[in-house]
């Protein structure tokens, strides 16, 4: 039997902090238990790959620089990730028809691999949609900004 408690509206700051300190380790543990589809297991994918793959799946092909900006890492880091994933057949790289100096990255066209990527991301996307559905666009934006702030400050040594 779960002892999870859903926080009620109007939480005091200390109540919200206590609820999140209890929730975050459970969330992290659950995410670590998310099985990687068999088709992707040999690719040695890490959480940073999940973020990169989700951008390509939901937003479509994009330049390395745009991926770097979205992932908030250096373009050379994305280039290394893309090279590794392209070598394994997870991604494809193409020259931008409008600017041959730019490389456009996309998910592989291999149906089995692409389906495995979609299924790996589907459960998390479905859960987030269900969580965000009752919220207004403003509440969603506040939630996302709150998590971004937490992520930025959680590792700082203040």
């Amino acid at each position: 039997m779960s002892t999870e408690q859903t926080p009620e509206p109007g939480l005091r700051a200390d109540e919200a902090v206590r609820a999140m300190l209890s929730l975050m380790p459970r969330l992290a543990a659950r995410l670590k238990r998310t099985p990687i589809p068999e088709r992707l297991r040999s690719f040695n994918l890490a959480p940073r790959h999940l973020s990169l793959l989700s951008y390509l799946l939901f937003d479509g092909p994009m330049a390395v620089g745009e991926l770097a900006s979205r992932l908030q890492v250096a373009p050379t880091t994305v280039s290394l990730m893309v090279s590794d994933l392209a070598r394994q057949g997870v991604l494809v790289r193409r020259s931008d028809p409008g600017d041959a100096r730019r490389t456009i990255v996309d998910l592989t066209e291999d149906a089995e691999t692409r389906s495995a990527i979609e299924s790996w991301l589907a459960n998390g996307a479905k859960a987030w949609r269900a969580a965000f559905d009752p919220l207004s666009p403003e509440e969603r934006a506040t939630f996302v900004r709150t998590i971004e702030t937490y992520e930025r400050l959680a590792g700082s040594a203040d």
Side-chain angles (χ1 to χ4, degrees):
M1 180 173 173
S2 175
T3 59
E4 280 183 43
Q5 295 182 356
T6 303
E8 295 299 320
L11 289 176
R12 293 188 330 263
D14 62 333
E15 292 171 326
V17 167
R18 183 174 50 252
M20 294 307 294
L21 287 173
S22 172
L23 178 62
M24 293 303 282
R26 293 194 318 262
L27 177 61
R30 185 172 301 236
L31 291 173
K32 287 179 183 177
R33 289 191 310 265
T34 302
I36 296 174
E38 182 66 37
R39 175 74 173 146
L40 303 177
R41 287 191 189 142
S42 66
F43 297 140
N44 297 317
L45 298 174
R48 63 188 176 148
H49 295 113
L50 184 66
S51 298
L52 184 146
L53 295 172
S54 68
Y55 280 123
L56 295 173
L57 180 64
F58 290 107
D59 299 335
M62 65 183 69
V64 169
E66 176 66 16
L67 277 169
S69 175
R70 291 181 183 209
L71 293 168
Q72 299 178 3
V73 298
T76 53
T77 301
V78 172
S79 290
L80 290 171
M81 289 170 57
V82 167
S83 292
D84 182 44
L85 293 174
R87 188 173 40 259
Q88 296 181 70
V90 177
L91 300 178
V92 293
R93 293 180 286 195
R94 297 183 183 96
S95 292
D96 184 337
D99 182 352
R101 296 169 296 174
R102 284 180 12 136
T103 299
I104 303 297
V105 180
D106 196 3
L107 297 174
T108 182
E109 293 178 10
D110 176 70
E112 188 178 347
T113 301
R114 194 173 183 105
S115 177
I117 292 167
E118 290 171 0
S119 71
W120 190 32
L121 296 171
N123 194 41
K126 181 180 173 184
W128 279 119
R129 281 192 184 98
F132 283 136
D133 188 51
L135 304 179
S136 70
E138 294 79 14
E139 290 169 323
R140 291 179 198 129
T142 297
F143 178 84
V144 171
R145 283 192 305 272
T146 300
I147 295 297
E148 288 172 340
T149 300
Y150 174 81
E151 187 264 341
R152 186 178 67 251
L153 297 175
S156 67
D158 286 334

